[in-house]
Amino acid sequence: MKDQHNCENCPVHHTENLIRLGIAMDRVDYVVALAGNPNTGKSTVFNNLTGLRQHTGNWPGKTVVRAEGGFSYNEKRYKVVDLPGTYSLLSTSTDEEVARDFILFGRPDVTVIVADATRLERNLNLALQILEITDRAVLCLNLMDEARRHHIEIDERSLSRELGIPVVLAEARQKVGMDRLIATIEEVASGKYVCKPHRVRTRSPKLSHAIEQLTNKLSEQFPGLPNLNWVALRLLEGDQSIIDAMQSGELGKLGAGLITAQP
């Protein structure tokens, strides 16, 4: 079967896994994930994008609230999923695990990382982790009005070059930058903008060798599993949720998209 990544105008999302994760996928062209630290204005961005076309529920098997909505642009329908606010994807909490699994296994067509422009250095920690597991992302630098008030200047073009993804300046409370954000989401989703995200390249030979050996074993045991290097690194770090998913076989089902929606 042809890999969806080979067609730049085709969706890259994993429909079966999105359904399994509780996302209704009827009449959807592209899926957009909203990620970010708490208190970055992510929910305001979500409300601006979706208006009244949204609803909430819980993630399957979790007590974490899930909000999803949608918008239409250039005759395409976009599903927007507001992921839990989190500082990391390293799975020390249920919120982090939900956000990580959605990006890793649901493979949204675009992940919008909403960051606080007044605390950029802290917020970039999550952004860099997300860029390790997806090559389709947009950085939405929100609260630019607060940044100006604190005399903070940000060169978004240089930041975009460094990260390898588009950067959009926004003031979500005033709806400033939202039109540009939607247009940028469309460019990334359709393949008009090809992201070349920053990735960590400096690993020791010993670690690189261990990752290579583990990815080979993972690909044999779980054909179709995405982001093998990232999964291997999490296993080497002792990520218990990934270890449990591997031992139960859940990891392979997520990779192959064999799990259907839960009742």
Side-chain angles (χ1 to χ4, degrees), residues 35-38 40 86-92 96 103 113-116 119-133 139 141 159 163 165 198-200 230 234 237:
N37 290 181
T40 58
T86 179
Y87 294 104
S88 167
L89 295 182
L90 300 184
S91 191
T92 57
E96 291 167 6
I103 299 171
I113 307 160
V114 182
D116 180 349
R119 295 173 173 83
L120 184 55
E121 184 175 358
R122 182 198 302 176
N123 283 222
L124 283 179
N125 179 53
L126 177 65
L128 292 173
Q129 289 181 23
I130 289 173
L131 293 182
E132 287 289 325
I133 60 175
L139 180 65
L141 274 185
L159 183 59
L163 294 176
I165 61 173
H198 170 86
R199 298 275 165 81
V200 175
W230 195 88
R234 295 286 80 75
E237 290 180 347

Coordinates of all heavy atoms in Angstrom, one line a residue, residues 35-38 40 86-92 96 103 113-116 119-133 139 141 159 163 165 198-200 230 234 237:
A35 N -1.2 22.0 20.5 CA -0.4 21.7 21.7 C 0.3 22.9 22.3 O 0.4 23.9 21.6 CB 0.7 20.7 21.3
G36 N 0.7 22.8 23.6 CA 1.3 23.9 24.2 C 1.4 23.8 25.7 O 0.7 23.0 26.3
N37 N 2.2 24.6 26.3 CA 2.3 24.7 27.8 C 1.0 25.3 28.3 O 0.2 26.0 27.6 CB 3.4 25.6 28.2 CG 4.8 25.1 27.9 OD1 5.8 25.7 28.2 ND2 4.9 23.9 27.3
P38 N 0.6 25.0 29.6 CA -0.5 25.7 30.2 C -0.3 27.2 30.2 O 0.8 27.7 30.2 CB -0.5 25.1 31.6 CG 0.2 23.8 31.5 CD 1.3 24.0 30.5
T40 N -0.8 29.5 27.9 CA -0.2 30.1 26.7 C -1.3 30.8 25.8 O -1.0 31.4 24.8 CB 0.5 29.1 25.8 OG1 -0.3 28.1 25.4 CG2 1.7 28.6 26.6
T86 N 0.6 20.9 28.4 CA 1.7 20.1 29.0 C 3.0 20.8 28.8 O 3.2 21.5 27.8 CB 1.7 18.7 28.4 OG1 2.7 17.9 29.0 CG2 1.8 18.7 26.9
Y87 N 3.9 20.5 29.7 CA 5.3 21.1 29.6 C 6.2 20.2 28.9 O 7.3 20.6 28.5 CB 5.9 21.4 31.0 CG 5.1 22.5 31.7 CD1 4.2 22.2 32.7 CD2 5.3 23.8 31.3 CE1 3.5 23.2 33.4 CE2 4.6 24.8 32.0 CZ 3.7 24.5 33.0 OH 3.0 25.5 33.7
S88 N 5.8 18.9 28.7 CA 6.7 17.9 28.1 C 5.9 16.8 27.5 O 4.7 16.6 27.8 CB 7.6 17.4 29.3 OG 8.3 16.2 28.9
L89 N 6.6 16.0 26.7 CA 6.0 14.7 26.1 C 6.6 13.5 26.7 O 6.4 12.4 26.2 CB 6.1 14.7 24.6 CG 5.5 15.8 23.8 CD1 5.7 15.5 22.3 CD2 4.0 15.9 24.1
L90 N 7.3 13.6 27.8 CA 8.0 12.5 28.4 C 7.2 11.7 29.3 O 7.7 10.9 30.1 CB 9.3 13.0 29.0 CG 10.3 13.7 28.1 CD1 11.6 14.1 28.7 CD2 10.6 12.8 26.8
S91 N 5.9 11.8 29.3 CA 4.9 10.9 29.9 C 5.1 10.7 31.4 O 5.2 9.6 31.9 CB 5.0 9.6 29.2 OG 3.9 8.7 29.6
T92 N 5.2 11.8 32.2 CA 5.2 11.7 33.6 C 3.8 12.0 34.2 O 3.6 11.9 35.4 CB 6.2 12.7 34.3 OG1 5.9 14.0 33.8 CG2 7.6 12.4 33.8
E96 N 0.4 14.4 29.7 CA 1.5 14.3 28.7 C 1.4 13.1 27.9 O 1.7 13.1 26.7 CB 2.8 14.3 29.5 CG 3.1 15.7 30.2 CD 4.2 15.6 31.2 OE1 4.8 14.6 31.3 OE2 4.4 16.6 31.9
I103 N -0.1 12.8 19.0 CA 0.8 13.2 18.0 C 1.6 12.0 17.4 O 1.8 11.9 16.1 CB 1.8 14.2 18.5 CG1 1.0 15.5 19.0 CG2 2.8 14.7 17.4 CD1 1.9 16.5 19.8
I113 N 1.8 24.4 17.6 CA 2.4 24.6 19.0 C 2.2 26.0 19.4 O 2.8 26.9 18.8 CB 3.9 24.3 19.0 CG1 4.2 22.9 18.3 CG2 4.5 24.3 20.4 CD1 5.6 22.7 17.8
V114 N 1.3 26.2 20.4 CA 1.0 27.6 20.9 C 2.0 27.9 22.0 O 2.1 27.2 23.0 CB -0.4 27.7 21.4 CG1 -0.7 29.1 21.8 CG2 -1.4 27.3 20.2
A115 N 2.8 29.0 21.8 CA 3.8 29.3 22.8 C 3.6 30.7 23.3 O 3.0 31.6 22.6 CB 5.2 29.2 22.2
D116 N 4.0 30.9 24.6 CA 3.9 32.3 25.2 C 5.2 33.0 24.8 O 6.3 32.7 25.1 CB 3.9 32.1 26.7 CG 3.8 33.4 27.5 OD1 4.0 34.5 26.9 OD2 3.6 33.3 28.7
R119 N 7.7 34.0 27.4 CA 8.5 32.9 28.0 C 9.0 31.9 26.9 O 8.8 30.7 27.1 CB 7.7 32.2 29.1 CG 7.3 33.1 30.2 CD 6.3 32.4 31.2 NE 6.1 33.2 32.4 CZ 5.2 34.2 32.5 NH1 4.5 34.5 31.4 NH2 5.1 34.9 33.6
L120 N 9.6 32.4 25.9 CA 9.9 31.6 24.7 C 10.8 30.5 25.0 O 10.6 29.3 24.6 CB 10.4 32.5 23.6 CG 10.7 31.8 22.3 CD1 9.5 31.1 21.7 CD2 11.2 32.9 21.3
E121 N 11.9 30.8 25.8 CA 12.9 29.7 26.0 C 12.3 28.5 26.7 O 12.5 27.4 26.3 CB 14.0 30.3 26.9 CG 15.2 29.3 27.1 CD 16.3 29.9 27.9 OE1 16.3 31.1 28.2 OE2 17.3 29.2 28.1
R122 N 11.4 28.8 27.7 CA 10.8 27.7 28.4 C 9.8 26.9 27.5 O 9.8 25.7 27.5 CB 10.0 28.2 29.6 CG 9.3 27.1 30.5 CD 8.2 27.7 31.4 NE 8.7 28.7 32.3 CZ 7.9 29.4 33.1 NH1 6.6 29.1 33.1 NH2 8.4 30.3 33.9
N123 N 9.1 27.6 26.7 CA 8.1 27.0 25.8 C 8.8 26.2 24.7 O 8.2 25.2 24.2 CB 7.2 28.1 25.2 CG 6.1 28.6 26.2 OD1 5.0 28.7 25.8 ND2 6.5 28.8 27.4
L124 N 10.0 26.6 24.3 CA 10.6 25.9 23.2 C 11.0 24.4 23.6 O 11.3 23.6 22.7 CB 11.8 26.6 22.7 CG 11.6 27.9 21.8 CD1 12.8 28.6 21.4 CD2 10.8 27.5 20.6
N125 N 11.1 24.1 24.8 CA 11.4 22.8 25.3 C 10.3 21.8 24.7 O 10.7 20.7 24.1 CB 11.4 22.7 26.8 CG 11.7 21.3 27.3 OD1 12.7 20.7 26.9 ND2 10.8 20.8 28.2
L126 N 9.1 22.1 24.9 CA 8.0 21.3 24.3 C 8.0 21.3 22.8 O 7.9 20.2 22.2 CB 6.6 21.8 24.8 CG 5.4 21.0 24.3 CD1 5.4 19.6 24.7 CD2 4.1 21.7 24.7
A127 N 8.3 22.5 22.2 CA 8.3 22.5 20.8 C 9.4 21.6 20.2 O 9.1 20.9 19.2 CB 8.6 24.0 20.3
L128 N 10.5 21.6 20.8 CA 11.6 20.7 20.2 C 11.3 19.2 20.4 O 11.6 18.4 19.5 CB 12.9 21.1 20.9 CG 13.5 22.4 20.6 CD1 14.7 22.7 21.4 CD2 13.9 22.5 19.1
Q129 N 10.6 18.9 21.5 CA 10.2 17.5 21.7 C 9.1 17.1 20.6 O 9.2 16.0 20.1 CB 9.6 17.3 23.1 CG 10.6 17.4 24.2 CD 10.0 17.2 25.6 OE1 8.9 16.6 25.7 NE2 10.6 17.7 26.6
I130 N 8.2 18.0 20.3 CA 7.2 17.7 19.3 C 7.9 17.6 17.9 O 7.5 16.7 17.2 CB 6.1 18.8 19.3 CG1 5.3 18.8 20.5 CG2 5.3 18.7 18.0 CD1 4.3 19.9 20.7
L131 N 8.9 18.4 17.7 CA 9.5 18.3 16.4 C 10.3 17.0 16.2 O 10.8 16.7 15.1 CB 10.4 19.5 16.1 CG 9.7 20.8 16.0 CD1 10.7 22.0 15.7 CD2 8.6 20.8 14.9
E132 N 10.6 16.3 17.3 CA 11.2 15.0 17.2 C 10.3 13.9 16.7 O 10.7 12.9 16.2 CB 11.8 14.6 18.6 CG 13.0 15.3 19.1 CD 14.2 15.0 18.3 OE1 14.4 13.8 17.9 OE2 15.0 15.9 18.1
I133 N 9.0 14.1 16.8 CA 8.0 13.1 16.4 C 7.1 13.5 15.3 O 6.2 12.7 14.9 CB 7.2 12.5 17.6 CG1 6.4 13.6 18.3 CG2 8.2 11.9 18.6 CD1 5.5 13.1 19.4
L139 N 4.6 26.9 14.6 CA 4.7 27.6 15.9 C 3.9 28.9 15.9 O 4.1 29.8 15.1 CB 6.2 27.9 16.2 CG 6.5 28.6 17.6 CD1 6.1 27.6 18.7 CD2 7.9 29.0 17.7
L141 N 3.3 32.0 18.0 CA 3.8 32.8 19.1 C 2.7 33.7 19.6 O 2.5 34.8 19.0 CB 5.0 33.6 18.7 CG 6.4 32.9 18.7 CD1 7.5 33.8 18.4 CD2 6.6 32.3 20.1
L159 N 13.8 32.7 13.8 CA 13.3 31.6 14.6 C 12.8 30.5 13.7 O 13.0 29.3 13.9 CB 12.3 32.1 15.6 CG 11.7 31.0 16.5 CD1 12.8 30.4 17.4 CD2 10.6 31.7 17.4
L163 N 14.2 26.6 13.5 CA 13.3 25.5 13.9 C 12.9 24.7 12.7 O 12.6 23.5 12.8 CB 12.0 26.0 14.6 CG 12.2 26.6 15.9 CD1 10.8 27.2 16.4 CD2 12.7 25.7 17.0
I165 N 10.3 25.3 10.7 CA 8.9 25.3 10.6 C 8.4 26.7 10.5 O 9.1 27.7 11.0 CB 8.2 24.6 11.8 CG1 8.5 25.3 13.1 CG2 8.5 23.1 11.8 CD1 7.7 24.7 14.3
H198 N 14.0 21.1 13.1 CA 15.2 20.8 13.8 C 15.2 19.5 14.6 O 14.2 19.2 15.2 CB 15.4 22.0 14.9 CG 16.6 21.7 15.8 ND1 17.9 22.1 15.5 CD2 16.6 21.2 17.1 CE1 18.6 21.7 16.6 NE2 17.9 21.2 17.5
R199 N 16.2 18.7 14.5 CA 16.3 17.5 15.2 C 17.6 17.4 15.9 O 18.6 17.9 15.4 CB 16.1 16.3 14.2 CG 14.8 16.2 13.5 CD 13.7 15.5 14.3 NE 12.4 15.8 13.8 CZ 11.8 15.2 12.7 NH1 12.5 14.2 12.1 NH2 10.6 15.4 12.4
V200 N 17.6 16.7 17.0 CA 18.9 16.5 17.7 C 19.8 15.5 16.9 O 19.4 14.4 16.6 CB 18.6 15.9 19.1 CG1 19.9 15.5 19.8 CG2 17.8 16.8 20.0
W230 N 12.3 7.5 17.9 CA 11.8 8.1 19.1 C 11.3 7.1 20.1 O 11.5 7.2 21.3 CB 10.6 9.1 18.7 CG 10.3 10.1 19.8 CD1 10.8 11.3 20.0 CD2 9.3 9.9 20.8 NE1 10.2 11.9 21.1 CE2 9.3 11.0 21.6 CE3 8.4 8.8 21.1 CZ2 8.4 11.2 22.7 CZ3 7.5 9.0 22.2 CH2 7.6 10.1 23.0
R234 N 12.7 6.3 23.9 CA 11.9 6.2 25.1 C 12.1 4.9 25.8 O 12.1 4.8 27.0 CB 10.4 6.4 24.7 CG 10.1 7.7 24.1 CD 10.0 8.9 25.1 NE 11.3 9.4 25.5 CZ 12.1 10.2 24.7 NH1 11.6 10.6 23.5 NH2 13.2 10.7 25.1
E237 N 15.2 4.9 27.7 CA 15.1 5.8 28.9 C 14.2 5.2 29.9 O 14.1 5.8 31.0 CB 14.6 7.2 28.5 CG 15.6 8.0 27.6 CD 15.1 9.3 27.2 OE1 13.9 9.6 27.4 OE2 15.9 10.2 26.8

